[in-house]
């Protein structure tokens, strides 16, 4: 086994240029313009998980030849990090005279207190700040006003071209890794998990790690969830059992999980309750792309169903 197989593919195959990033052309054009201007403004990159925000932030700094610091806000985004590590980096002179940038990944995980302090840092230091966020409404208004906000919104008409671009990327990765693959199966996995490209590549790496083959088995891997215990727990309003079921099934793709519950529950509830379940399912499938904790989102979905449907006798 070659050493590269031990790497996380989503990191080791991270894009090196803006043209490598799988993005709609209008977004790509914005970022090309920033690089051509050779000056990166303060940015707030907002969108669902796995759509390329962090990759773009890194690429911008690397292509514009900025000296940058990367902070994972969910792990190191406390006020002490801001006052020590970030302040020291932002205020000190660069040895190479390169301009500086601080990337605050998952900035929506920062506390309101830390965000409030950050607004002063943005104004005080000659340093670019790039924030990424899955949920931009968790970023305080003063930070919005101090940054150029760029939404990673993929329109319906973008889906085909983006999936094709990502298909080419994954074909190259699988070939370099010496993994046999069925192209149609690969395309189906990409479409089913669109637009979370990071989760797609991680899922494929995990599936192929042992047998070095990408085959039809990957399409059924997420579909083996047994709904029977969940239905029983929901009918009897055994909340703790429902929660345990959610925990036991978190490894499944969330969107497929919502769909399976939606399909499976209809034969157990009165017809008059079905429209409400349709609306709840659509609402929570949308919310799932933005929430910080998918477990809580799925559990809230099931709790609402438990409290609002009429079960068949």
């Amino acid at each position: 086994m070659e050493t590269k197989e031990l790497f996380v593919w989503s990191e080791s195959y991270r894009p090196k240029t803006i043209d490598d990033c799988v993005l709609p052309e209008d977004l790509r054009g914005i970022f090309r313009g920033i690089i051509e201007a050779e000056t990166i403004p303060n940015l707030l990159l907002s969108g669902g998980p796995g759509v390329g925000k962090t990759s773009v932030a890194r690429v911008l700094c690397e292509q514009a030849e900025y000296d940058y610091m990367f902070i994972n806000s969910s792990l190191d985004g406390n006020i002490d990090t801001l006052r020590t590590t970030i302040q020291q980096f932002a205020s000190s002179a660069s040895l190479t005279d390169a301009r500086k940038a601080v990337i605050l990944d998952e900035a929506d995980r920062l506390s309101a207190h830390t965000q409030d302090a950050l607004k002063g840092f943005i104004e005080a230091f000659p340093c670019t700040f790039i924030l990424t966020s899955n949920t931009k409404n968790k970023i305080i208004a003063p930070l919005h006003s101090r940054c150029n906000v760029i939404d990673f919104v993929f329109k319906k008409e973008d889906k085909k071209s983006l999936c094709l671009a990502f298909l080419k990327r994954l074909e190259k990765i699988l070939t370099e890794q010496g993994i046999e693959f069925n192209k149609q199966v690969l395309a189906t996995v990409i479409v089913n998990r669109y637009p979370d490209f990071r989760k797609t590549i991680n899922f494929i790496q995990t599936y192929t790690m042992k047998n070095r083959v990408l085959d039809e088995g990957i399409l059924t891997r997420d579909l083996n969830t047994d709904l029977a215990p969940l239905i029983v727990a929901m009918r009897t309003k055994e909340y703790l059992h429902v929660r345990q079921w959610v925990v036991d099934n978190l490894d499944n793709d969330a969107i497929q999980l919502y769909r399976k519950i939606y399909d499976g529950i209809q034969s157990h509830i009165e017809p008059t309750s079905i429209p409400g379940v349709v609306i709840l399912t659509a609402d929570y499938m949308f919310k799932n792309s933005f929430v910080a904790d998918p477990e809580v989102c799925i559990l809230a979905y099931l709790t609402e169903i438990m409290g609002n449907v009429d079960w068949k006798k």
Side-chain angles (χ1 to χ4, degrees):
M1 179 180 291
E2 297 182 21
T3 303
K4 64 182 179 181
E5 292 175 359
L6 300 176
F7 295 162
V8 177
W9 293 353
S10 58
E11 294 298 327
S12 56
Y13 288 98
R14 187 181 289 278
K16 303 298 183 184
T17 69
I18 286 297
D19 288 336
D20 290 337
C21 296
V22 179
L23 294 169
E25 194 54 41
D26 56 345
L27 275 181
R28 196 193 310 276
I30 291 172
F31 297 125
R32 282 198 191 112
I34 291 173
I35 292 170
E36 290 170 2
E38 299 182 345
T39 301
I40 305 174
N42 296 318
L43 297 172
L44 170 55
L45 309 180
S46 176
V51 296
K53 303 182 299 296
T54 304
S55 293
V56 165
R58 288 181 181 274
V59 164
L60 286 175
C61 292
E62 290 164 5
Q63 284 200 262
E65 298 183 345
Y66 274 58
D67 182 12
Y68 72 94
M69 167 182 285
F70 182 87
I71 300 291
N72 184 334
S73 300
S74 63
L75 299 176
D76 301 309
N78 55 61
I79 191 68
D80 291 333
T81 298
L82 190 67
R83 290 172 174 166
T84 55
T85 307
I86 295 177
Q87 181 172 348
Q88 182 177 1
F89 173 81
S91 61
S92 62
S94 171
L95 295 176
T96 62
D97 292 327
R99 290 161 295 183
K100 289 189 170 187
V102 174
I103 299 173
L104 285 160
D105 200 35
E106 299 186 19
D108 46 342
R109 300 289 188 93
L110 296 172
S111 68
H113 180 54
T114 303
Q115 290 187 42
D116 189 60
L118 178 61
K119 69 183 183 183
F121 276 62
I122 291 177
E123 294 181 346
F125 299 111
C127 178
T128 293
F129 286 82
I130 304 176
L131 286 60
T132 75
S133 172
N134 291 340
T135 315
K136 69 178 181 181
N137 62 8
K138 291 185 178 180
I139 304 294
I140 62 174
L143 290 181
H144 279 250
S145 68
R146 287 166 172 78
C147 298
N148 291 308
V149 181
I150 300 177
D151 293 316
F152 281 58
V153 176
F154 296 174
K155 297 184 286 293
K156 185 177 180 180
E157 55 267 30
D158 294 325
K159 182 173 182 178
K160 182 177 180 181
S161 62
L162 293 178
C163 285
L164 285 172
F166 196 56
L167 175 64
K168 292 179 181 178
R169 173 78 52 79
L170 283 178
E171 285 180 322
K172 181 180 179 181
I173 292 172
L174 292 171
T175 299
E176 288 185 8
Q177 292 292 333
I179 292 173
E180 297 180 21
F181 63 93
N182 179 309
K183 185 173 181 177
Q184 184 57 52
V185 169
L186 178 59
T188 301
V189 172
I190 291 170
V191 170
N192 286 347
R193 291 172 174 265
Y194 172 88
D196 192 335
F197 298 128
R198 181 179 60 243
K199 190 171 184 178
T200 302
I201 193 171
N202 290 340
F203 177 61
I204 290 173
Q205 181 178 14
T206 300
Y207 181 83
T208 59
M209 193 174 294
K210 182 178 180 180
N211 295 324
R212 316 291 298 159
V213 173
L214 179 67
D215 54 21
E216 291 84 352
I218 197 171
L219 301 179
T220 60
R221 179 165 178 172
D222 288 350
L223 302 179
N224 295 326
T225 304
D226 184 6
L227 286 182
L230 175 65
I231 299 298
V232 171
M234 291 177 70
R235 289 180 70 106
T236 56
K237 292 183 169 53
E238 294 285 348
Y239 171 79
L240 293 180
H241 292 169
V242 172
R243 182 178 182 183
Q244 186 60 53
W245 185 92
V246 172
V247 171
D248 291 341
N249 287 278
L250 277 178
D251 287 340
N252 292 312
D253 178 74
I255 298 304
Q256 290 192 28
L257 201 59
Y258 282 110
R259 180 72 202 204
K260 188 174 181 69
I261 294 168
Y262 164 74
D263 287 335
I265 201 173
Q266 293 193 40
S267 61
H268 298 275
I269 61 178
E270 296 291 345
T272 53
S273 294
I274 292 176
V277 171
V278 172
I279 294 171
L280 281 174
T281 304
D283 183 38
Y284 278 94
M285 287 177 81
F286 173 76
K287 289 176 179 176
N288 194 81
S289 299
F290 306 99
V291 296
D293 191 334
E295 177 187 341
V296 175
C297 191
I298 295 171
L299 191 55
Y301 165 65
L302 296 176
T303 302
E304 283 214 53
I305 291 176
M306 280 195 296
N308 291 286
V309 304
D310 294 318
W311 298 93
K312 288 182 177 179
K313 304 299 183 183

